[in-house]
Amino acid sequence: MSAKEKFTSISPAEFFKRNPELAGFSNPARAMYQALRELVENALDATDVHEILPSIKVVIERTSQEKEIYRLTVEDNGIGIPPHVVPDAFGRVLYSSKYVLRQTRGMYGLGVKAAVLYSQMYQDKPIEITTAPVNSKRIYSFKLKIDVTKNEPIIYERGSVNNDTGYHGTSVSMYILGDWMRAKSRVYEYIKRTYIITPYAEFYFKDPEGNVTLYPRLTNKMPTPPKEVKPHPYGVDIELLKNMISRQKEDTTVKDFLVKEFQSVGEKTALSVIEMAGLDPEKKVQKLTDDQLSKLVDAMKNFPDFRPPSPEALSTIGADLIELGLKQTFNPEYVGAVTRRPKAYQGHPFIVEVGLAYGGDIQPSEEPTVLRYANKIPLIYDEKSDVVWKVVEEIDWKRYGIEDEQLPLVVMVHLCSTKVPYKSAGKESIADVEEIEKEIRNGIMEASRSLKTFMTEKRKEEEARKRLLTYLKYIPELARSLSIFVTDGKKELAPKVQEEIQNKMIDLVVTKLNIKDKDLELFKSYRVETL
């Protein structure tokens, strides 16, 4: 006789506690990096999304000599968190302010809660939160954990003090089992790459060894923040439609529902879509059957005349900030960047930005250094599985004037979208979506054309420099011979005449060859040596 199967359910918190690798917490080194990353992302979303120049403080301290337990603290100067929201924001999995159609660094309402769950697995100290919303008269503090079975916060301590200084922002500390020596390079690389695209932010970073690194603010210019938008008809499905309809008033008609709840839908467009679906525009939307909902979704997805999704939900970095960040970090010989026009996939708008840096202090290697970003998040792990790397590998750089076998080249690609197609909840690599892959390729090619122009000019300058060196060899001797001829052999007059002739020759060569200042200095130094 066979045993009966036992069926049960688990909470979202229990699921991610059992499967931490899905959220990027697969080992102590990766977990340390991932926890810090989640806290920094939240800090930046609490500042630059709300047009506050970010000041971010990151401190990692080792608290146990027996086990590698570390205290991670990230403090920001953002808008703060209302005290009644704090317990759920940190203690309830899949509770978030980010479930809206607007670009944010976080997407799943999971990141920091996954870090809390990982923290609880290996040590017993709760997460510590201190926060003050903008204009708050009080500063609030909490210590809490997650009740894994119930997926709800357990509050150990809560309190508040007077806010006499006008402080606003949030500080979060958590204790985790980590591996600093293995995580060190990734953590430093993450902060450096974050700084590259946020030159309007300042960072203070102290590592467990006591080393302090300061990243100063380079500009007060910030990207335009994203706005929340309505869904686009191309991105709708039956379940989303049902969810939206459940929030409508009983007398809302199908026509009014489409006009009010979706972008790119006016009254005329709504009537055309409804006609395609074979529905009555005055029918109450809550009375639609499943079959009618399916017909409506099909009509919305196949209607040919919708405007593209609104890019207002997106916030690009901007070519000037990309160039500033690349210059500051790599000190290249050439830097250039492009921000592409908005495109869409599955009803979701997206924009691709590309930055290129060449030469200078960039270390040459067989492959370009690739910096990947999604919604302003640096992607450090899983590089070779990312669509960005796939595209970069296919680029023939010789077409753009780079003949070197060793490439002193940095390629930066930023994808921003209301829905980034990550391959996993760990958010480290972007999936191969045809529309996105094509736009990344077009963006790299567009940026590379400017690089090609630079390389062409550089080759011309090198050729001119070679000619210059040839002239350098002969001008002094020619000037000396002419001076002897002009002075009829009077040696006391020859040096002065030689210098005059040589200066005129140099002026002529400089004009004809369009010699740059740096090569002119070479001319002058050579002339002094030969006089």
Side-chain angles (χ1 to χ4, degrees):
M1 182 176 178
S2 61
K4 292 183 178 180
E5 291 285 350
K6 183 179 180 180
F7 292 89
T8 186
S9 65
I10 61 174
S11 73
E14 176 72 23
F15 175 80
F16 283 105
K17 176 183 174 294
R18 294 184 183 185
N19 303 280
E21 61 280 354
L22 292 179
F25 294 82
S26 52
N27 58 63
R30 179 74 180 264
M32 192 173 199
Y33 156 79
Q34 192 71 27
L36 182 140
R37 170 184 160 175
E38 299 293 353
L39 293 176
V40 171
E41 285 176 23
N42 286 350
L44 288 170
D45 273 341
T47 50
D48 65 1
V49 170
H50 302 279
E51 299 184 274
I52 299 172
L53 288 168
S55 294
I56 311 296
K57 183 177 181 180
V58 181
V59 178
I60 307 176
E61 307 163 276
R62 183 165 181 172
T63 62
S64 170
Q65 296 305 316
E66 299 173 0
K67 292 198 300 182
E68 282 200 72
I69 302 297
Y70 295 85
R71 185 176 192 258
L72 273 61
T73 301
V74 175
E75 180 180 346
D76 65 61
N77 61 327
I79 60 168
I81 306 171
H84 68 278
V85 172
V86 170
D88 282 335
F90 290 91
R92 190 186 299 276
V93 177
L94 304 183
Y95 177 91
S96 178
S97 65
K98 298 177 180 179
Y99 299 141
V100 294
L101 280 179
R102 183 186 70 186
Q103 173 191 330
T104 58
R105 290 176 173 83
M107 290 178 61
Y108 304 129
L110 170 64
V112 74
K113 273 81 78 174
V116 175
L117 289 169
Y118 176 82
S119 170
Q120 293 177 197
M121 291 169 64
Y122 298 103
Q123 59 82 50
D124 61 357
K125 292 183 179 179
I127 185 173
E128 302 165 2
I129 305 108
T130 301
T131 188
V134 175
N135 298 323
S136 173
K137 295 180 180 180
R138 308 286 292 177
I139 299 175
Y140 302 91
S141 60
F142 296 81
K143 291 185 179 180
L144 58 83
K145 289 184 178 181
I146 297 175
D147 184 321
V148 175
T149 303
K150 297 179 180 179
N151 187 32
E152 63 184 31
I154 305 171
I155 301 174
Y156 287 82
E157 291 183 22
R158 67 191 307 164
S160 68
V161 297
N162 286 331
N163 186 3
D164 299 324
T165 61
Y167 165 78
H168 59 84
T170 302
S171 174
V172 180
S173 297
M174 66 172 57
Y175 299 80
I176 68 165
L177 175 68
D179 185 341
W180 169 245
M181 296 314 296
R182 287 177 57 213
K184 181 178 179 178
S185 61
R186 302 279 190 175
V187 169
Y188 269 100
E189 188 67 17
Y190 170 78
I191 294 177
K192 183 182 82 171
R193 293 192 184 189
T194 299
Y195 182 59
I196 288 173
I197 61 164
T198 55
Y200 52 87
E202 59 184 9
F203 292 87
Y204 169 98
F205 175 48
K206 183 177 180 181
D207 72 17
E209 300 168 59
N211 301 309
V212 174
T213 308
L214 300 175
Y215 299 85
R217 181 175 290 118
L218 302 178
T219 179
N220 289 334
K221 181 179 180 181
M222 299 180 69
T224 302
K227 298 178 181 178
E228 185 179 348
V229 298
K230 298 175 182 178
H232 190 277
Y234 286 151
V236 76
D237 58 44
I238 294 176
E239 290 303 319
L240 174 61
L241 206 59
K242 286 181 177 180
N243 183 271
M244 294 173 68
I245 289 172
S246 69
R247 300 194 297 268
Q248 301 301 309
K249 295 179 180 179
E250 290 185 3
D251 60 348
T252 302
T253 65
V254 176
K255 182 188 73 174
D256 290 341
F257 169 67
L258 293 181
V259 172
K260 184 177 71 170
E261 296 297 332
F262 292 92
Q263 56 173 286
S264 303
V265 180
E267 188 168 322
K268 182 179 178 181
T269 301
L271 291 172
S272 298
V273 172
I274 294 168
E275 184 180 356
M276 281 183 65
L279 301 177
D280 177 1
E282 298 304 319
K283 185 179 179 68
K284 301 299 183 282
V285 70
Q286 291 194 357
K287 300 295 185 181
L288 292 177
T289 65
D290 285 352
D291 181 60
Q292 290 172 325
L293 288 173
S294 178
K295 290 178 179 178
L296 182 57
V297 168
D298 288 342
M300 294 169 75
K301 286 186 174 296
N302 293 303
F303 186 73
D305 297 326
F306 286 130
R307 295 191 303 274
S310 169
E312 288 187 337
L314 306 180
S315 174
T316 58
I317 302 165
D320 49 352
L321 291 180
I322 291 173
E323 291 181 9
L324 178 61
L326 291 174
K327 284 178 183 177
Q328 176 69 17
T329 304
F330 295 101
N331 190 29
E333 184 180 354
Y334 166 86
V335 65
V338 297
T339 297
R340 300 279 294 171
R341 296 179 62 183
K343 296 290 190 297
Y345 83 99
Q346 298 175 9
H348 297 280
F350 72 92
I351 296 176
V352 168
E353 300 185 278
V354 176
L356 297 179
Y358 175 85
D361 292 343
I362 300 171
Q363 292 298 316
S365 61
E366 293 182 1
E367 299 173 330
T369 298
V370 179
L371 308 180
R372 300 170 296 128
Y373 297 86
N375 285 351
K376 302 180 183 176
I377 300 172
L379 309 181
I380 307 296
Y381 282 87
D382 306 333
E383 181 175 60
K384 292 300 178 73
S385 67
D386 194 294
V387 66
V388 173
W389 185 259
K390 174 186 175 184
V391 173
V392 171
E393 279 191 316
E394 295 172 353
I395 299 294
D396 180 8
W397 296 107
K398 291 183 180 180
R399 289 182 54 193
Y400 301 102
I402 302 178
E403 303 288 344
D404 312 332
E405 293 297 326
Q406 297 288 312
L407 303 176
L409 179 66
V410 173
V411 181
M412 191 222 89
V413 176
H414 174 227
L415 169 68
C416 58
S417 178
T418 53
K419 183 182 179 183
V420 176
Y422 291 114
K423 287 190 172 181
S424 72
K427 300 181 300 185
E428 284 291 353
S429 63
I430 301 169
D432 299 13
V433 174
E434 182 180 354
E435 298 94 327
I436 291 175
E437 180 179 340
K438 179 181 178 181
E439 190 63 9
I440 290 172
R441 182 175 289 104
N442 289 340
I444 293 176
M445 292 170 65
E446 180 182 345
S448 298
R449 285 192 285 271
S450 296
L451 174 61
K452 182 178 181 180
T453 300
F454 167 80
M455 296 300 293
T456 300
E457 291 298 319
K458 181 181 178 182
R459 276 198 298 273
K460 289 180 180 178
E461 288 183 7
E462 289 174 350
E463 292 170 0
R465 187 180 179 86
K466 290 178 182 178
R467 293 199 301 272
L468 167 63
L469 291 173
T470 302
Y471 288 125
L472 278 173
K473 294 178 182 178
Y474 296 108
I475 284 179
E477 184 60 37
L478 181 58
R480 184 182 295 111
S481 300
L482 288 174
S483 67
I484 294 172
F485 175 77
V486 170
T487 58
D488 197 23
K490 297 178 182 179
K491 292 184 178 181
E492 66 278 6
L493 299 177
K496 182 178 180 181
V497 173
Q498 178 185 340
E499 183 175 4
E500 291 176 355
I501 293 173
Q502 188 162 301
N503 284 339
K504 289 181 179 179
M505 285 183 170
I506 288 175
D507 290 341
L508 180 63
V509 171
V510 166
T511 302
K512 292 294 185 181
L513 296 183
N514 192 24
I515 293 171
K516 307 296 182 184
D517 290 343
K518 61 181 180 180
D519 290 330
L520 189 57
E521 291 300 319
L522 178 63
F523 244 120
K524 291 178 180 177
S525 63
Y526 192 92
R527 184 190 65 184
V528 170
E529 291 172 4
T530 54
L531 285 177

